[in-house]
Amino acid sequence: MKKIQRMLYRTAGCIAVLLCLFLAPAAVEAASYTTVCNGVDYASVYDYSYYCKRYPSVKSRYGGNPSKVVAHFAKYGMKDGKTGKDPKKFPQAKPGSATYNRLMMLNYYPSGRLTQAYADGAKTAGTWNKRVMKMIAVIGTGGGYSTGANAFAALQNAFTLSGGKGSVKMNRLSPSFCSDAVYMLVLKTLSYWNDRYRISEKAWINLRPYCVKGMKYPAQDDGTGAWGMANANGPGFAVLAKKLGAGKNTLILNRKEYSSEKKYWAAWDSAVPGDVMKIFRSSKIGKSEQGHLVIYLGRKSAMSNGKRDDIIYYWSSQKSTNGKGITSCRASQIYRAVLTKITKPAAFNAAASLSPKTKNSWLFALKEQKDVSVSEMKKKI
């Protein structure tokens, strides 16, 4: 009886060993198909088998180690526009999609924020730009995106005036939209320099956004007062900066409007991290425009369809980041852009003479009445 039991045990043991030999490697390998790198899950845009099949050199280089392969995709593949998952079955996995860009940013800028090292090391035109970058590095992200009444209520709640000084709490700006996020970031940066530049209480009163009923001044429409100008269609913020004498505006034309590619990219060379940038997605300027107000963060040289098509990084509030956050687009997705470089922060004190009720009729007309030519816009900035 004992001999029979020993034989059964041995037989069971052999079967177990054989099962381990045949099944365990596959199970272990399947379990090791991780989609996580540095705490970020890339499952929506990355599949180990697809990536290795599409780029066999990657698998060959890393010996088929799933952890190293996903790390390659996250650190290098995404920046080169590599496809990590079948985009025909999973549209969000297509390079350039909102999901793809968001996940790439989490790797390029951890947690969707600029790292302090990036902020400290950013090439800037001066202390103002550097301070803007540091502000972005520490303020919260997300908070929701909206252009409705709730966003304007949040805008009012984010600004306070105490002791003659303006103060901005970006965490209260939730939900937000592009122009109020950028405008309030500028005011927050200005509040940091308040003592050095002696921004008067009157200037702060006029810089404050009036956007709901029941405030000291009526809600400002496009082109009315400082906030209404910054929030207007067209080059609203650039017009405000020029009126106050606070900065220098630069127009980046459409690529076809330059005599050479070299001149087009030379125009982009004038952009410095921390500049305010108005993006025009189409040729329209005014009531029919597709615009976006952002803070320019930099660009990375890249190719698309055999042509140079750099990746432009920026901070703003948009749907793809669920409110405040960092994202990117290709240069070809920007038809034109207006850059505003703040060179004289002290000039914001000139807002003391800018009444919250004063209307800029040209900017006001861009809301619903007309589109304008690029040459006309040039005259205004």
Side-chain angles (χ1 to χ4, degrees), residues 34-112:
T34 179
T35 57
V36 177
C37 178
N38 293 331
V40 178
D41 192 345
Y42 294 90
S44 60
V45 297
Y46 168 84
D47 175 79
Y48 170 79
S49 298
Y50 179 89
Y51 192 62
C52 288
K53 184 177 180 180
R54 187 176 178 88
Y55 306 102
S57 60
V58 174
K59 183 175 182 179
S60 175
R61 181 177 180 183
Y62 295 105
N65 184 315
S67 295
K68 290 185 178 180
V69 173
V70 69
H72 177 275
F73 173 73
K75 295 179 180 179
Y76 308 107
M78 296 188 85
K79 292 179 183 179
D80 292 334
K82 284 183 165 55
T83 306
K85 198 170 186 176
D86 189 351
K88 293 182 180 179
K89 297 179 180 178
F90 308 95
Q92 75 278 7
K94 184 178 181 180
S97 73
T99 300
Y100 191 99
N101 282 344
R102 177 178 60 80
L103 288 170
M104 181 173 63
M105 291 301 97
L106 290 177
N107 182 61
Y108 200 79
Y109 300 113
S111 300

Side-chain angles (χ1 to χ4, degrees), residues 19 33 75 78 98 107 119 134 136 145 152 157 166 177 193 204 213 242 254 264 266 288 295 311 350 360:
L19 287 172
Y33 283 179
K75 295 179 180 179
M78 296 188 85
N107 182 61
K134 288 189 174 183
I136 292 175
Y145 176 87
F152 286 100
N157 190 42
F177 52 96
W193 299 112
W204 278 118
K213 294 180 180 180
K242 181 179 180 179
N254 182 264
Y264 172 69
S288 305
I295 299 293
I311 299 171
N360 181 302

Side-chain angles (χ1 to χ4, degrees), residues 89-169:
K89 297 179 180 178
F90 308 95
Q92 75 278 7
K94 184 178 181 180
S97 73
T99 300
Y100 191 99
N101 282 344
R102 177 178 60 80
L103 288 170
M104 181 173 63
M105 291 301 97
L106 290 177
N107 182 61
Y108 200 79
Y109 300 113
S111 300
R113 301 182 181 183
L114 293 170
T115 61
Q116 195 61 46
Y118 183 92
D120 289 339
K123 177 184 176 182
T124 63
T127 53
W128 174 270
N129 283 59
K130 195 166 187 177
R131 177 53 53 181
V132 169
M133 299 295 280
K134 288 189 174 183
M135 289 293 183
I136 292 175
V138 299
I139 62 177
T141 59
Y145 176 87
S146 174
T147 57
N150 55 345
F152 286 100
L155 176 57
Q156 177 189 337
N157 190 42
F159 185 95
T160 57
L161 187 61
S162 178
K165 298 180 181 179
S167 177
V168 175
K169 294 187 182 300

Side-chain angles (χ1 to χ4, degrees), residues 93-273:
K94 184 178 181 180
S97 73
T99 300
Y100 191 99
N101 282 344
R102 177 178 60 80
L103 288 170
M104 181 173 63
M105 291 301 97
L106 290 177
N107 182 61
Y108 200 79
Y109 300 113
S111 300
R113 301 182 181 183
L114 293 170
T115 61
Q116 195 61 46
Y118 183 92
D120 289 339
K123 177 184 176 182
T124 63
T127 53
W128 174 270
N129 283 59
K130 195 166 187 177
R131 177 53 53 181
V132 169
M133 299 295 280
K134 288 189 174 183
M135 289 293 183
I136 292 175
V138 299
I139 62 177
T141 59
Y145 176 87
S146 174
T147 57
N150 55 345
F152 286 100
L155 176 57
Q156 177 189 337
N157 190 42
F159 185 95
T160 57
L161 187 61
S162 178
K165 298 180 181 179
S167 177
V168 175
K169 294 187 182 300
M170 294 296 288
N171 63 318
R172 294 182 179 178
L173 196 65
S174 300
S176 59
F177 52 96
C178 67
S179 52
D180 80 336
V182 170
Y183 185 70
M184 293 303 270
L185 181 66
V186 168
L187 293 192
K188 185 171 181 64
T189 306
L190 185 64
S191 69
Y192 177 84
W193 299 112
N194 190 85
D195 293 333
R196 177 184 295 186
Y197 294 124
R198 302 175 185 274
I199 306 301
S200 68
E201 181 176 12
K202 180 63 175 177
W204 278 118
I205 289 173
N206 295 344
L207 287 168
R208 178 177 192 163
Y210 296 92
C211 48
V212 296
K213 294 180 180 180
M215 300 186 75
K216 184 177 180 180
Y217 294 97
Q220 295 167 317
D221 204 340
D222 285 15
T224 304
W227 157 242
M229 293 175 71
N231 188 44
N233 283 357
F237 187 88
V239 172
L240 173 64
K242 181 179 180 179
K243 184 174 183 61
L244 297 177
K248 177 184 177 182
N249 297 316
T250 302
L251 174 62
I252 297 179
L253 296 169
N254 182 264
R255 190 183 309 213
K256 296 178 181 179
E257 295 173 315
Y258 290 93
S259 59
S260 67
E261 285 279 309
K262 183 177 181 180
K263 289 185 178 181
Y264 172 69
W265 294 114
W268 274 108
D269 288 340
S270 65
V272 176

